[in-house]
Each structure stands twice: as C-alpha cells, then as structure tokens.
Amino acid sequence: MSRLRGRSRSGRLLLALAVGGAVFGIATAVQADIPDAGVIHGCYGKPGTLYKGQLRVRDASRGEQCRVYENPLDWNQNGATGATGPTGATGPTGATGRTGPTGPTGPGLPAVDGQVDVDAPSVPASSCIVKDVTITALQASDHVLINPTGNLPLGIVVEPIFNIGSSSVLELRICNVTGAAIDPPNGAWGYALFRG
C-alpha cells in the first residue's frame, strides 16, 4: 500500500489502466471460447493434493485438458429425461354430440311361423355335427328363430347356420360340450321367419 502512495498520480493512473486492460483482455478471451455450445468445462483439484478443491475453467475448444492432479467437471449439461409423471385427473364430460341418421327399418313381426321335425343323430363327446333342416317357407333373406318345443339334454348347444346355396334348407350346428356322447331326442322344433 505504501508503494502505491509513493508513486506519482500519473504512475498510479498508468498502473490502473494496465491492470484494467489485462482484466478486460482475459474476460474477452474467456467470453469468446467459453462456454462451449452451452457447456462450461472445468477442472478441480483432487483430494490429497496441494490443489485440493481448487476450481478453474478450461477451454476445451482449444484442446485444453485437466492436469494429472485434477478431475474434470462440466456443468450446464442436459440431464437424463425424467420419469413420466402420473396421469392427470379426468377432464369434464364433453357436450352431447349430434343425433345420428335414422337406421334402416328392422324385420318386424314374423312373416311365417310353424314347426318342423328334427331328428338329430348322436353327438360324440366334445364335438359338433351339422344337421340339415328343410323349412319350405324359408327364403334366402329371412332371419330365422328356431327352438325345440321340449328340453334338450344338458351339454347340447344349438346354433343355426344359413345355407346360402339353398333357400329352403337351414343348417343347425349341434355341439356336445360334455365328455360323453349324447343322443338328442327327436321331436318338433318351433320356428319363426322374419322378412326384412
């Protein structure tokens, strides 16, 4: 401090300008190359060395590396993507949509009803057979409802299959879902034909 006081006013001014110029030059050089694409590269002294904990910024774009007694430290890097957050609360119910167009007219009342004799053969265990049933009034576009007039044995399941090749023939798929053969009883089945 006494040395500064001993200098002349012009000497102190000259010294202040020199120090200011040096600081400005260093700051300009650092700003020009650091950070490197948003990442600041640095080094800090390793534990157990004279430089322990000392931090300095390095210019990686010019190939500057950490010294043997330093560890690298970069910051302002993008971290890993975090876990997906929980699902948000359900939003309010939206407004009611417009009414759709009117659908086609349904088949209406039965055009024809009656009975037909069905003589189904024995159905092996865990299998199905197809039985043809002739209904004289049946047309190709008819919707058919057919059921036995009596009870079927437990384990027998029946569904109609439409035979497009012959309009008067209705195929019945008769399945046995048990572990033993079943011979369904012969008898009358009631049917109703719906015309669209």
Side-chain angles (χ1 to χ4, degrees):
M1 194 70 172
S2 59
R3 288 183 184 176
L4 280 177
R5 286 184 186 155
R7 293 180 186 259
S8 66
R9 179 180 280 236
S10 61
R12 281 185 280 177
L13 180 60
L14 189 60
L15 179 62
L17 286 174
V19 170
V23 169
F24 178 75
I26 291 170
T28 302
V30 168
Q31 272 188 336
D33 296 322
I34 303 172
D36 178 18
V39 179
I40 300 172
H41 304 281
C43 303
Y44 68 95
K46 295 179 181 178
T49 67
L50 295 175
Y51 303 96
K52 173 185 171 184
Q54 291 184 15
L55 177 67
R56 70 180 181 85
V57 176
R58 64 185 174 90
D59 189 352
S61 65
R62 292 188 180 177
E64 187 178 352
Q65 300 293 325
C66 292
R67 298 178 182 115
V68 293
Y69 53 82
E70 294 175 321
N71 286 321
L73 175 66
D74 297 340
W75 59 98
N76 204 27
Q77 293 177 309
N78 291 331
T81 303
T84 303
T87 302
T90 302
T93 302
T96 302
R98 292 179 290 136
T99 303
T102 302
T105 304
L109 295 175
V112 179
D113 61 2
Q115 289 187 350
V116 64
D117 286 327
V118 177
D119 183 7
S122 179
V123 184
S126 302
S127 62
C128 297
I129 63 161
V130 175
K131 171 68 178 171
D132 287 346
V133 177
T134 300
I135 301 174
T136 308
L138 181 63
Q139 295 181 4
S141 61
D142 286 350
H143 299 275
V144 181
L145 178 63
I146 185 165
N147 283 304
T149 54
N151 291 330
L152 289 174
L154 289 176
I156 291 292
V157 179
V158 179
E159 62 180 353
I161 303 172
F162 297 101
N163 186 348
I164 296 174
S166 174
S167 62
S168 64
V169 176
L170 174 71
E171 292 182 339
L172 293 179
R173 182 179 169 91
I174 304 173
C175 297
N176 177 359
V177 296
T178 70
I182 298 177
D183 188 6
N186 302 333
W189 288 47
Y191 66 83
L193 309 179
F194 296 85
R195 301 222 160 107

